[in-house]
Amino acid sequence: MLQMEKSIPFSAFSVLMFISILISQSEQLPSSQGQTLLRIQRILNFPAGLSSWNSITDFCKTEPNSSVTVVCYEESITQLHIVGEKGAPMLPKNFSMDSFVTTLVKLPHLKVLSLVSLGLWGPLPGKISRFSSIEILNMSSNLLYGGIPQELSSLSSLQTLILDANMFSGRLPDWLGSLPGLTVLSLRQNMFNGSLPDSFSNLENLRVLALSHNYLYGEVPDFSSLTNLQVLDLEDNNFGPKFPQLDNKLVTLVLSNNKFRSGIPAEMSSFYQLQRLDLSNNNFVGPFQTSLLSLPSITYLNISENKFTGMLFKNLSCNAALESVDFSLNLLTGNLPSCLLSRSEKRVVKYSRNCLATGDQNQNPLSLCHNEALAAGILPPRNKQKGASKAVLACGIIGGIFGGIALVGMIFLVIRRASARKIIKKPVTRLIAESASTSYIPKMVSDARYISQSVKLGALGVPGYRTFSLEELEEATENFDTSAFMGDGSQGQMYRGHLKDGSFVAIRCLKLKRSHSTQNFMHHIELISKLRHRHLVSAIGHCFECYYEDSSVSRIFLVFEYVPNGTLRTWLSGERVRQPLTWAQRIAAAIGVAKGIQFLHTGIVPGIYSNNLKITDILLDHNLVAKISSYNLPLLAQSAWKVDQGASASATSKDANNSARAKYEDKIDVYDFGVILLEIIVGKPMNSRNEVDVLKDLLKASITADKATRRSIIDPTIQRGCLDQSLKTTMEICMRCLLKNPADRPSIEDLLWNLQFAAQVGDSMSGEGSPISPSLPPHLQLTFH
């Protein structure tokens, strides 16, 4: 009995202890934090991943999934992960990023915050730094803009910062290099510009630095002290020209699509952990280090589209784990290593457009790869067969004063005899155009002075036109260095230049096929200097380079605005992996293109027609203003080199045959605009005339059908962002532009009026929501004049 009496209190004590343990182990979330989560659900417009949340939800015990995870510890939420659907639309205009963060910080013990693809928009408020214990912050794939708030510099515990695929802009702040615990910094696919701060060299714990798809430039700081760095991704910027200094523990190095032009440093052969190396699409020169093929960890190697030289041998060794190799578009000779030819289903080997001793993959002649001048990017002037060798010098043209030119030539002759082969350069030339017709050259040139009042209105905001000296252009391009080289085509080489005033320009170098005096080009220059409009890539200036003996022009340098923000197609298709343009932004771009066409047709007498317009020739600037980069100027056509001698005759001989066609030449541009508008609507590239016809018929059928049918054929990314009246109006004008009979197509004024109507009704708020908010930054707001 005594034993039983003693056992009762012991049992009661055991039960109490057990209950106490259960209570201590149970994570009961305070009601205030639960209410905060429900408020977050409302602010985010009740996304599908949070649909199960309600007032009785036990958040700490909910099963984690791919959309939402809540982790609790000691009665507090310490981790919150919310992931929306890819390409989630922008939250409604009443959304406030500041209010959202004010709500978030009511969860003060968060260590991990991940808010991905939720349509968040607006600047990131500095009050997010109130998460004093935050270790991981991921807000990628939203529409956040502005700079990174300086308040984040106080987050001493921050280890991972991921802000990929937003619209952040400006220079990277220097204070990022002072975050002591930072191990991952990922800012891919934004609009950051400027150079990298030297302070990044102080991030001793950094393991991942991902800055691809921005507008960063300059030399990469010395990262050799970052002994923990494993991933460096700088793809698609303008870094260069020197190869970065790095520690040999890197696992992934991606430098593709930049302006690097030095050789590969010998130290790369000691990168024993390197698995992925991508140096493609740069201007690297010098011998290719074959030792890279046998690095102990290498699995991926891409050196394509450079100017690497050297000879490959059959007996070279390769890492057996090597899965992908791309040597394409270099200057390599010799034989493809046998180790790369081993039969492996996984291994991919590309080596086209070299000079290798193989009959496949389109090899170049051996002599091409031995031409050392090719690697320099710009060829030196060649000797002419007429008379003695011609030294190239710049002759200036001022107005149309013949005597001044002769005097300058005589002075330069004296200088030439005093110092052999000295080149003097003067300003003259400019503009952008891809295709030209000779049928209207004489009248256009003779009437170039007749510019309508729309020039003054349309040119607002376009930099003034002026002449350049060759010295200025050489300084802007570092003597036409390969780091400034942008491409080569039938109409000359293109370079990117950085002027003393800090602005960037695009410089096209045209080498003439036959001799002409500067006077042969002055009418063209007069015309070019007047073609200035907000929706054209407009003239900045020009420069002539002339031969000394007879003052004939050897090269013309055409200087344009530099528009680095990609083509309209890339912003529709998401090739930049950013948020594609909203419906309102697409209509604004279409209106810009139409205004550019209207100026080409009516802004100068006679108008400029048959411009062979393509969506890949429509560029967007940093404010998303559309600019036509390729239009019909005679100076860039082959026939332009026969100015005075053959142009008039050519035009006269074709007048009879082209008279009927000329009656509707403005409607040719209207058709091309219709193809561009069709791609804007459906969001898919138009690759053939047949494809255009099929979609045109589909468009025609959908206009008379119901709303659901119309929405079924448009780009899915804009289905929730455009009003049906706006869509229907745009479809109607697009279909009319694509009519087979030119006479039935609308005038440029007609289509412009309809597009502006579509924009106005689309900008009106309704239950479907508007894609543009008055509180957005200026570069995302639409204004119609």
Side-chain angles (χ1 to χ4, degrees), residues 315-358:
N315 59 354
L316 289 175
S317 60
C318 307
N319 187 334
L322 194 56
E323 296 180 354
S324 179
V325 180
D326 194 343
F327 293 144
S328 305
L329 289 159
N330 279 285
L331 304 171
L332 301 174
T333 60
N335 294 281
L336 197 68
S338 300
C339 61
L340 296 179
L341 296 175
S342 60
R343 296 181 178 179
S344 172
E345 295 181 358
K346 293 184 178 179
R347 179 174 293 168
V348 176
V349 181
K350 299 178 182 179
Y351 46 89
S352 64
R353 304 297 295 276
N354 283 279
C355 301
L356 297 171
T358 176

Side-chain angles (χ1 to χ4, degrees), residues 348-411:
V348 176
V349 181
K350 299 178 182 179
Y351 46 89
S352 64
R353 304 297 295 276
N354 283 279
C355 301
L356 297 171
T358 176
D360 59 351
Q361 294 204 19
N362 194 19
Q363 299 302 306
N364 292 317
L366 188 61
S367 58
L368 179 63
C369 295
H370 286 161
N371 185 355
E372 295 179 1
L374 186 63
I378 183 169
L379 299 176
R382 298 178 181 176
N383 293 335
K384 298 288 182 179
Q385 295 180 354
K386 296 180 182 179
S389 63
K390 295 185 178 182
V392 181
L393 57 81
C395 320
I397 297 302
I398 303 174
I401 306 175
F402 292 89
I405 298 173
L407 180 60
V408 170
M410 293 176 64
I411 293 173

